[in-house]
Amino acid sequence: MSESLSLGRLVVVGVGLIGGSLARALRRHGAAREIVGVGRSRRHLERAQALGVIDRFGELPDVVAGADVVVVAAPVGAMDALFEQMAPQLSPTALITDVGSVKGAVIEAARRRLGAHFGRFVPGHPIAGTEHSGVEASFASLFQGHRVILTPVAETDREAVATISRLWALTGAEVSEMGPDEHDAVLAATSHLPHVLAFGLVELIASRADSQRCFDLAAGGFYDFTRIASSDPVMWRDICLANRDALVGRLREYGSVLATLTETVERADGAQLEAVFRRAKQARDRMLRARENTPRQPTRQR
């Protein structure tokens, strides 16, 4: 598949870390004649324009009229209203895609609100990011070597899927397809659960009477484990609620594992504790070896 792409107007709804990084990457390749931003804060949009991330900005109904591609990079909880606002103004040939970490809820919102345009909606999720947010944190190589998962459904136009796949390929991403239910189940375990655990651990320490002492003495392990607790709380609130069934299942499973570990430590069963740690280490080592031949961008933005 050719990775060339020539768009007229690309609209990015939500010019933050992900939307801004996508805009930067596509600008680098000259993929669109103009890139137009939409967002809640005029100040942030002015900053995005000053940084050269977007050419201009405007109100959603105005700028989607005549757009070739609309990328919705807003929090998952906002997508229903955004789809409803843009639907009357979309061109019959416009493509719509999103970057949400939950696909089932977003697809249902699109089906409900986009009407005749639903077939040209290509659900997507770039598996990339940092703990930082905002357009200042965006960078063109964010997606290089990372996966982007598209989750089309039966009604999704295959030519639309091919175009959005080319769009992401231009960023250096590895594009693949997956069913939305499978996506949400997997991401609940590998992304949503870790974020809840990181937020929860920081909350636990912060609620202690000696919290400042604990934070002062925290070392690399604590900072590594809790790095993602610096992520956008609104975004992660929406993700957790939108994927709550799958996430609750993973939280209960983790609770069971944690209860078993608690009992193991209580009875001072060193052999069992070591066996659990060894299996976990071996599993993680296998995972890392499998990724050794795939160069990836660091998750931290300096």
Side-chain angles (χ1 to χ4, degrees):
M1 177 185 296
S2 169
E3 294 184 1
S4 63
L5 196 64
S6 180
L7 303 174
R9 180 185 302 165
L10 170 71
V11 174
V12 179
V13 184
V15 193
L17 171 65
I18 301 298
S21 295
L22 178 59
R24 288 181 188 270
L26 296 178
R27 181 180 296 285
R28 175 181 287 181
H29 290 279
R33 186 186 71 250
E34 68 168 349
I35 300 177
V36 184
V38 175
R40 293 173 298 176
S41 168
R42 181 181 179 91
R43 180 172 62 84
H44 292 161
L45 291 169
E46 288 174 346
R47 180 61 177 156
Q49 185 176 25
L51 290 170
V53 177
I54 58 175
D55 296 303
R56 62 183 179 90
F57 57 87
E59 297 297 323
L60 182 63
D62 299 330
V63 301
V64 299
D68 292 316
V69 174
V70 179
V71 179
V72 185
V76 170
M79 290 192 186
D80 184 272
L82 291 170
F83 290 147
E84 183 178 27
Q85 290 173 40
M86 71 174 70
Q89 302 302 325
L90 288 168
S91 159
T93 60
L95 303 185
I96 311 97
T97 189
D98 79 300
V99 302
S101 184
V102 178
K103 299 275 56 93
V106 171
I107 289 169
E108 287 311 305
R111 191 191 306 274
R112 184 166 56 248
R113 299 302 187 186
L114 291 180
H117 302 286
F118 178 68
R120 299 181 68 77
F121 171 65
V122 182
H125 178 209
I127 312 296
T130 77
E131 70 272 31
H132 304 287
S133 59
V135 69
E136 292 87 352
S138 65
F139 55 108
S141 59
L142 174 62
F143 310 107
Q144 184 73 42
H146 286 276
R147 289 189 178 185
V148 170
I149 300 174
L150 304 182
T151 62
V153 294
E155 303 98 311
T156 311
D157 183 276
R158 292 308 305 181
E159 290 186 7
V161 175
T163 299
I164 298 302
S165 181
R166 288 199 300 273
L167 181 150
W168 281 112
L170 279 176
T171 72
E174 302 168 7
V175 185
S176 60
E177 293 186 26
M178 180 183 289
D181 291 343
E182 181 185 6
H183 170 279
D184 288 355
V186 170
L187 269 293
T190 60
S191 176
H192 309 163
L193 175 63
H195 277 80
V196 171
L197 298 181
F199 283 122
L201 177 56
V202 175
E203 172 72 6
L204 171 67
I205 302 300
S207 65
R208 291 171 56 97
D210 61 346
S211 60
Q212 191 56 56
R213 178 96 172 138
C214 292
F215 287 137
D216 288 344
L217 295 175
F222 181 83
Y223 283 98
D224 288 344
F225 187 90
T226 62
R227 176 184 60 82
I228 53 178
S230 292
S231 301
D232 184 348
V234 172
M235 179 180 77
W236 281 100
R237 175 203 65 193
D238 288 353
I239 288 169
C240 290
L241 295 179
N243 201 26
R244 61 186 176 276
D245 291 343
L247 178 57
V248 165
R250 301 299 80 75
L251 282 166
R252 286 177 174 156
E253 290 170 357
Y254 190 83
S256 177
V257 170
L258 195 59
T260 299
L261 286 171
T262 301
E263 294 171 2
T264 303
V265 173
E266 280 181 338
R267 65 175 182 264
D269 189 342
Q272 176 63 17
L273 200 61
E274 181 182 346
V276 173
F277 292 171
R278 192 173 299 280
R279 287 195 300 271
K281 180 184 184 319
Q282 290 171 347
R284 189 172 191 278
D285 288 347
R286 286 194 300 271
M287 176 190 73
L288 293 177
R289 284 196 297 272
R291 291 162 60 96
E292 279 178 356
N293 296 326
T294 305
R296 295 178 184 272
Q297 285 295 115
T299 55
R300 285 186 182 273
Q301 166 74 348
R302 300 293 186 185

